[in-house]
């Protein structure tokens, strides 16, 4: 697959003393270069996805790597690893650069306590995971992505954390408590969530916690169509990413169970949960749950 457009995903947990100033600088350079995407900045670091032409992306990476922590720079970003995918030119409609309290929201009040620079799972890369699988090492893969991301693709035999949103992190341990004394590997899209999620498991008393460095995307790139089946959900207009044309579709429509990778939303406006809904079922209102279908009915219509 060749493309004149490129999408890069990147993050770094590092103390940023002036997130608002850094937001301003990021906005300025992205506008100067002319790239779109979404970048979140907090005192704990940066997390972003941007798209541009290959030349524009090179320019962005060069400017980021020049931020080396010396005087007048916002921190050391000279070692940020940019994970690259072919773009479409329409992954983002605009540029959003925002200052937040966290670069991935855990919803934990004491979120400052899960600082990946202090506590995080041991990193293993795609090659190490491949050898674990091939050698039959005993371990459990815990997928730290949201349930709808898991639904469209996942590692064979892996366990969904069951989160609807990463802010549900504090609710997961009861589900996964059986693995407390086992070797656990956390996985997510490109790694940013596992830096925190693996640290959180360690804090909750899990004994032997690893995280997949570079995430599922790096594994799929290296071993397309192996061990991880289906598509990788991504948070831009592409919705999903594939690394081989011969991949197996694992997503199923929540209503009719036919294989599908088409996303829709729960029809209850206050829920709007993402669901796999096939083209044929998409013509009618689909609800994620019985309570949602009743909520809909209990709301008086505007005319009454
Ligand atoms: Zn259907
Ligand atoms: Zn719902």
């Amino acid at each position: 697959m060749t493309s004149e457009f490129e999408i890069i995903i990147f993050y770094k947990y590092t103390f940023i003393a002036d997130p608002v100033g850094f937001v301003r600088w990021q906005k300025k350079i992205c506008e100067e270069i002319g790239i779109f995407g979404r970048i979140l900045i907090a005192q704990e670091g940066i997390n972003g996805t941007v798209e541009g032409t290959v030349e524009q992306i090179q320019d962005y990476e060069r400017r980021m790597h020049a931020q080396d922590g010396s005087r007048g720079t916002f921190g050391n970003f000279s070692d940020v690893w940019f994970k690259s995918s072919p773009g479409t030119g329409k992954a983002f409609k605009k540029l959003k650069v925002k200052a937040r309290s966290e670069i991935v929201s855990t919803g934990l009040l004491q979120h400052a306590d899960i600082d990946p620079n202090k506590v995080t799972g041991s990193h293993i890369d795609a090659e190490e995971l491949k050898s674990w699988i091939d050698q039959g090492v005993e371990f459990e893969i815990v997928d730290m992505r949201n349930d709808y991301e898991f639904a469209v693709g996942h590692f064979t035999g892996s366990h969904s954390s069951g989160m609807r949103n990463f802010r549900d992190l504090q609710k997961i341990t009861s589900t996964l408590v059986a693995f407390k004394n086992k070797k656990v590997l956390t996985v997510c899209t490109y790694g940013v969530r596992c830096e925190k999620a693996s640290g959180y498991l360690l804090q909750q008393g899990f004994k032997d916690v690893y995280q997949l460095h570079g995430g599922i995307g790096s594994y799929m790139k290296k071993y397309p169509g192996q061990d991880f089946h289906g598509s990788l959900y991504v948070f831009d207009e592409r919705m999903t990413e594939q690394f081989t044309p011969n991949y197996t579709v694992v997503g199923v429509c929540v209503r009719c169970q036919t294989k599908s990778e088409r996303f829709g939303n729960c029809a209850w406006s206050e829920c709007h949960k993402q669901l796999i809904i096939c083209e044929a079922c998409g013509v009618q209102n689909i609800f994620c749950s019985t309570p949602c279908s009743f909520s809909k009915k209990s709301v008086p219509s505007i005319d009454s």
Side-chain angles (χ1 to χ4, degrees):
M1 243 191 297
T2 55
S3 158
E4 57 169 318
F5 289 100
E6 188 178 355
I7 296 169
I8 47 167
I9 296 187
F10 58 94
Y11 69 85
K12 183 173 179 181
Y13 286 98
T14 183
F15 179 70
I16 299 173
D18 178 15
V20 175
F22 196 44
V23 164
R24 242 181 276 127
W25 181 76
Q26 279 287 322
K27 256 192 196 147
K28 183 174 156 278
I29 66 161
C30 290
E31 281 165 4
E32 275 173 18
I33 299 169
I35 49 177
F36 287 171
R38 186 173 48 239
I39 299 170
L40 297 179
I41 291 165
Q43 283 204 323
E44 66 178 13
I46 183 168
N47 179 18
T49 309
V50 293
E51 179 179 46
T53 64
V54 172
E55 294 73 26
Q56 287 173 321
I57 294 302
Q58 265 173 9
D59 191 6
Y60 180 80
E61 291 183 359
R62 189 184 49 75
R63 294 191 203 205
M64 275 290 274
H65 283 156
Q67 292 279 319
D68 59 0
S70 60
R71 236 180 108 82
T73 55
F74 289 96
N76 181 9
F77 299 96
S78 59
D79 57 354
V80 169
W81 178 30
F82 295 99
K83 277 134 297 201
S84 164
S85 304
T88 57
K90 345 180 235 263
F92 294 97
K93 292 194 179 95
K94 51 190 170 188
L95 174 70
K96 275 190 202 164
V97 188
K98 296 252 152 52
R100 290 278 159 82
S101 61
E102 295 179 279
I103 55 170
V104 286
S105 297
T106 55
L108 299 170
L109 283 175
Q110 301 293 319
H111 61 74
D113 288 350
I114 42 167
D115 177 353
N117 289 314
K118 294 188 185 127
V119 179
T120 196
S122 313
H123 293 87
I124 65 161
D125 59 18
E127 288 87 346
E128 281 170 278
L129 172 55
K130 186 71 185 157
S131 75
W132 280 17
I133 293 171
D134 291 348
Q135 288 165 22
V137 171
E138 217 174 288
F139 70 106
E140 303 289 344
I141 299 180
V142 175
D143 197 315
M144 289 296 180
R145 299 173 304 150
N146 303 330
D147 50 9
Y148 54 86
E149 301 176 67
F150 186 88
V152 81
H154 49 258
F155 279 105
T156 305
S158 65
H159 308 275
S160 170
S161 62
M163 288 187 276
R164 173 173 171 180
N165 184 293
F166 198 62
R167 283 187 287 274
D168 293 338
L169 186 59
Q170 58 218 299
K171 297 179 199 158
I172 61 170
T173 37
S174 56
T175 336
L176 304 175
V177 82
F179 307 147
K180 234 171 175 169
N181 295 311
K182 289 189 171 182
K183 190 195 279 284
V184 167
L185 173 70
T186 66
V187 299
C188 64
T189 317
Y190 281 98
V192 66
R193 284 177 275 185
C194 284
E195 299 276 355
K196 282 191 176 180
S198 62
Y200 182 71
L201 292 186
L202 285 166
Q203 281 190 343
Q204 296 301 308
F206 284 69
K207 298 283 181 300
D208 199 15
V209 183
Y210 295 79
Q211 61 184 308
L212 181 57
H213 188 53
I216 295 163
S218 300
Y219 193 89
M220 289 174 83
K221 209 168 187 176
K222 190 111 203 182
Y223 307 105
Q226 298 179 49
D227 313 308
F228 185 99
H229 296 290
S231 293
L232 180 61
Y233 185 96
V234 287
F235 293 88
D236 59 60
E237 302 280 325
R238 291 172 300 164
M239 298 301 290
T240 57
E241 191 175 0
Q242 290 81 27
F243 294 80
T244 166
N246 312 315
Y247 72 100
T248 324
V249 174
V250 302
V252 290
C253 171
V254 292
R255 185 173 173 273
C256 72
Q257 311 296 315
T258 57
K259 294 234 163 167
S260 172
E261 294 194 323
R262 180 181 177 278
F263 279 96
N265 297 92
C266 170
W268 169 229
S269 58
E270 283 175 36
C271 172
H272 231 60
K273 179 179 161 68
Q274 286 208 63
L275 305 166
I276 298 176
I277 303 172
C278 78
E279 195 107 20
C281 294
V283 297
Q284 49 195 304
N285 284 340
I286 307 287
F287 299 93
C288 76
S289 59
T290 316
C292 276
S293 59
F294 282 120
S295 301
K296 175 80 163 92
K297 284 175 192 133
S298 70
V299 171
S301 77
I302 296 158
D303 301 329
S304 62

